[in-house]
């Protein structure tokens, strides 16, 4: 399936089809409920009919939000199994049924909406599964795009492995076109075309849908630019490594990244309108979440006080916008002597320094809730790269290319890296998460902020990624 750029973010065509089909099913379900309860007016009462359309549209919007919150539209490296899909769909539909019953019960008069709502929810569950089955069969019938990889080195091999193992970016690698005479490391089952043949001829003969240039050094005549230009003019999409991974995996690979790509590519928009919209979004969402989670925060404070001695709130220096430091607030999840020698350490899984209450609040992300106060103050944003400690920043700046780009936006309570990569506690993990952070910095928008917040709900509910 193709991938489209929507509000600066790359979305698979299959996801768009699922969203459209699900919204239509939910809209029709609401009209069915209203009709069964004799709420749809007969005759020409246009105002009442318009009201029912708005009601059905609102119901569809709420159901799509519930679907998204349980991860039905998440696109990771693996497809969601049928069992997991049904379980999560049932959870969303059960919540939707409760909301729908209360809504229609208040306006249905003497009629009881329970039976009708139940039928509508069964219809939604069946429809949701059928839609995905149809899309899956269409994908299989159409087949995956056929790809020609330019290059035969380590980068080309890495691209081929990713295309074979990641369901979201699955492609059929037709073969490799060498840029040099050396083709060491190629497996016997991998087809390497002769350099005596033109790329245009190979594309036409083998029905190539896409060309991926997996060559870092493109100067000195290593690439047949005239042939690639002819293919591009003929309509064959051509992507370099950075562009391919940005579109297909929603990350920016730093190993093959060049400063020129960052300079000339689209993105990195931080204009006044974007800053105003982001600040307004931060104030509204953080204030709302503080109000909703205040009982949880109170219970957490009491539990921390009873569990172990020490302060309830832990203050730690972190690096924020423009490299300036600020004090990050968290519920204390470790013992007070966790760093008694003064040396900063990466947190790790099953860390012995974590208290009993701390283990729970870290898994559920409750320990992050005090950072909502930092969002209101303007030190942090709701969505952005996670802030690191100054000592770690100094280390990572030396080992990870373009690391300081993450400081061009405010750090976030949650972020694209947090919902796309499991919890990391090493330099290598930091490198991988930085690739997702670069994608966010480059493509940040209000749409992506909302998407991250919704996916954060799924991550917290189903513990996708350990801490």
């Amino acid at each position: 399936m193709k991938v489209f750029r929507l509000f600066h973010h790359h979305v698979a065509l299959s996801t768009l089809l699922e969203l459209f089909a699900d919204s239509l099913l939910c809209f029709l379900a609401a009209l069915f409920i209203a009709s069964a309860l004799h709420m749809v007016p007969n005759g020409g009462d246009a105002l009442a009919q318009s009201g029912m359309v708005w009601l059905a549209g609102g119901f569809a919007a709420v159901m799509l939000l519930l679907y998204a919150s349980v991860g039905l539209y998440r696109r990771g490296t693996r497809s969601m199994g049928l069992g997991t899909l049904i379980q999560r769909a049932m959870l969303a539909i059960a919540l939707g049924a409760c909301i729908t019953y209360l809504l229609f019960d208040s306006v249905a008069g003497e009629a009881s909406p329970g039976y009708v709502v139940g039928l509508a929810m069964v219809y939604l569950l069946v429809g949701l599964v059928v839609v995905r089955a149809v899309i899956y069969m269409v994908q299989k019938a159409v087949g995956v795009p056929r790809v020609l990889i330019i290059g035969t080195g380590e980068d080309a091999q890495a691209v081929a492995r990713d295309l074979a193992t990641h369901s979201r970016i699955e492609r059929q690698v037709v073969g490799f076109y060498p840029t040099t005479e050396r083709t060491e490391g190629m497996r016997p089952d991998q087809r390497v075309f002769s350099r005596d043949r033109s790329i245009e001829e190979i594309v036409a003969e083998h029905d190539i849908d896409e060309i991926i240039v997996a060559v870092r050094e493109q100067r000195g005549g290593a690439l047949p630019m005239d042939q690639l230009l002819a293919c591009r003019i003929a309509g064959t999409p051509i992507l370099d490594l950075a562009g391919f991974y940005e579109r297909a995996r929603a990350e920016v690979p730093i190993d093959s990244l060049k400063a020129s790509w960052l300079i000339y590519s689209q993105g990195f928009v931080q204009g006044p309108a974007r800053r105003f919209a982001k600040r307004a979004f931060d104030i509204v969402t953080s204030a709302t979440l503080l109000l909703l989670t205040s009982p949880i925060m109170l219970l957490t404070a009491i539990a921390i006080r009873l569990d172990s001695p020490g302060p309830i709130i832990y203050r730690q220096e972190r690096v924020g916008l423009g490299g300036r430091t600020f004090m990050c607030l968290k519920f204390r999840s470790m013992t007070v002597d966790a760093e008694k020698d003064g040396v900063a350490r990466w947190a790790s899984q099953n860390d012995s320094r974590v208290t009993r209450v701390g283990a729970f609040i870290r898994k559920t992300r409750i320990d992050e809730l005090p950072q909502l106060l930092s969002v209101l103050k303007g030190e942090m944003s709701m969505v952005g790269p996670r802030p690191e400690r100054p000592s770690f920043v100094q280390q990572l700046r030396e080992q990870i290319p373009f690391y300081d780009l993450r400081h061009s936006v405010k750090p976030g309570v949650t972020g694209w890296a947090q919902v796309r990569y499991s919890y990391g506690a090493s330099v290598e993990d930091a490198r991988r998460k930085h690739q997702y952070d670069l994608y966010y910095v480059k493509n940040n928008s209000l749409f992506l902020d909302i998407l991250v917040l919704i996916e954060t709900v799924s991550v917290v509910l189903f513990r996708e990624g350990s801490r």
Side-chain angles (χ1 to χ4, degrees):
M1 282 285 184
K2 293 184 178 180
V3 177
F4 294 92
R5 188 173 174 85
L6 181 66
F7 300 112
H8 305 287
H9 178 58
H10 297 84
V11 182
L13 175 60
S14 58
T15 302
L16 294 177
L17 292 175
E18 289 172 2
L19 283 166
F20 175 77
D22 289 345
S23 61
L24 181 60
L25 287 172
C26 292
F27 184 84
L28 294 177
L31 291 182
F32 163 75
I33 296 173
S35 176
L37 296 176
H38 306 292
M39 296 171 57
V40 177
N42 296 320
D45 191 342
L47 183 61
Q49 290 179 349
S50 175
M52 288 310 306
V53 170
W54 279 104
L55 180 63
F59 172 78
V62 170
M63 288 305 302
L64 288 182
L65 182 61
L66 289 173
Y67 287 167
S69 297
V70 296
L72 294 189
Y73 304 116
R74 279 175 60 82
R75 289 294 181 267
T77 57
R78 299 178 182 177
S79 297
M80 185 181 297
L82 179 61
T84 302
L85 171 68
I86 293 176
Q87 290 175 4
R88 296 195 181 191
M90 289 179 64
L91 174 60
I93 289 174
L95 293 173
C98 295
I99 297 173
T100 306
Y101 179 85
L102 294 174
L103 174 64
F104 282 94
D105 187 51
S106 63
V107 296
E110 297 180 358
S112 177
Y115 177 72
V116 176
V117 170
L119 282 179
M121 295 304 117
V122 172
Y123 151 79
L124 283 183
L125 179 60
V126 173
L128 186 142
V129 174
V130 169
V131 163
R132 280 147 183 81
V134 170
I135 292 176
Y136 176 79
M137 288 188 292
V138 170
Q139 286 179 304
K140 289 299 181 182
V142 172
V144 297
R146 296 167 60 83
V147 168
L148 174 67
I149 299 177
I150 306 298
T152 55
E154 294 182 3
D155 290 323
Q157 293 293 321
V159 168
R161 286 193 298 269
D162 285 338
L163 294 177
T165 57
H166 292 173
S167 60
R168 184 178 186 270
I169 57 174
E170 184 181 2
R171 303 285 195 276
Q172 179 185 352
V173 178
V174 176
F176 299 78
Y177 188 86
T179 57
T180 65
E181 298 293 343
R182 302 176 59 184
T183 58
E184 293 89 347
M186 302 295 296
R187 299 196 311 268
D189 62 317
Q190 292 178 322
R191 183 173 188 175
V192 180
F193 292 100
S194 170
R195 296 181 67 208
D196 294 334
R197 302 184 62 186
S198 70
I199 297 178
E200 305 103 296
E201 179 185 348
I202 296 171
V203 167
E205 180 180 339
H206 295 277
D207 297 321
I208 301 297
D209 299 305
E210 195 172 69
I211 297 175
I212 301 174
V213 180
V215 180
R216 296 194 193 185
E217 184 52 62
Q218 302 181 9
R219 296 174 297 181
L223 289 179
M225 299 303 293
D226 55 339
Q227 298 181 39
L228 291 174
L229 178 60
C231 292
R232 181 67 184 88
I233 293 174
T236 304
I238 300 176
L239 296 171
D240 60 4
L241 284 172
F244 171 73
Y245 279 113
E246 181 190 7
R247 192 187 71 174
R249 293 179 59 177
E251 62 179 292
V252 177
I254 55 178
D255 289 335
S256 58
L257 196 60
K258 297 180 180 179
S260 58
W261 186 84
L262 294 172
I263 293 171
Y264 295 117
S265 62
Q266 294 181 344
F268 301 103
V269 177
Q270 297 293 332
R274 167 59 181 154
R275 289 196 295 268
F276 175 80
K278 188 171 182 64
R279 183 58 184 150
F281 176 78
D282 287 341
I283 292 174
V284 172
T285 53
S286 60
T288 302
L289 287 174
L290 275 172
L291 181 63
L292 294 176
T293 61
S294 54
I296 298 175
M297 295 176 70
L298 177 60
L299 292 175
T300 301
I302 295 173
I304 292 173
R305 175 64 70 190
L306 295 176
D307 181 53
S308 62
I312 294 173
I313 299 295
Y314 182 64
R315 294 165 55 87
Q316 191 176 71
E317 188 179 28
R318 298 291 179 102
V319 179
L321 180 65
R324 296 184 294 272
T325 60
F326 69 100
M327 299 307 296
C328 183
L329 307 178
K330 299 178 69 173
F331 280 122
R332 181 175 59 82
S333 60
M334 292 187 176
T335 57
V336 292
D337 60 349
E339 293 180 353
K340 58 185 177 181
D341 56 0
V343 178
R345 295 182 178 85
W346 295 98
S348 61
Q349 295 187 29
N350 303 318
D351 199 316
S352 60
R353 300 173 297 169
V354 177
T355 64
R356 289 174 298 177
V357 171
F360 174 77
I361 64 176
R362 286 168 68 86
K363 287 180 180 179
T364 55
R365 272 49 173 195
I366 292 175
D367 62 325
E368 311 283 359
L369 290 179
Q371 293 171 26
L372 295 173
L373 297 172
S374 298
V375 176
L376 278 179
K377 291 172 60 179
E379 296 172 335
M380 295 181 65
S381 178
M382 284 301 302
V383 179
R386 289 294 297 150
E388 289 290 356
R389 301 171 68 174
S391 56
F392 289 152
V393 169
Q394 183 61 35
Q395 176 189 1
L396 297 173
R397 184 183 288 128
E398 296 172 355
Q399 301 184 40
I400 300 179
F402 308 105
Y403 188 76
D404 272 333
L405 281 177
R406 71 199 320 271
H407 300 136
S408 63
V409 297
K410 289 182 182 179
V413 177
T414 185
W416 189 241
Q418 276 60 51
V419 299
R420 289 287 152 172
Y421 190 75
S422 60
Y423 185 71
S426 67
V427 173
E428 186 54 40
D429 287 330
R431 286 176 64 89
R432 185 64 190 279
K433 295 183 77 169
H434 181 55
Q435 296 185 161
Y436 288 104
D437 285 333
L438 277 182
Y439 178 88
Y440 175 79
V441 173
K442 182 177 183 294
N443 300 286
N444 75 93
S445 64
L446 183 60
F447 172 78
L448 189 53
D449 286 349
I450 295 173
L451 179 61
V452 169
L453 284 186
I454 293 174
E455 292 205 2
T456 300
V457 177
S458 172
V459 170
V460 172
L461 282 177
F462 303 104
R463 299 184 180 181
E464 297 171 339
S466 58
R467 295 192 67 193

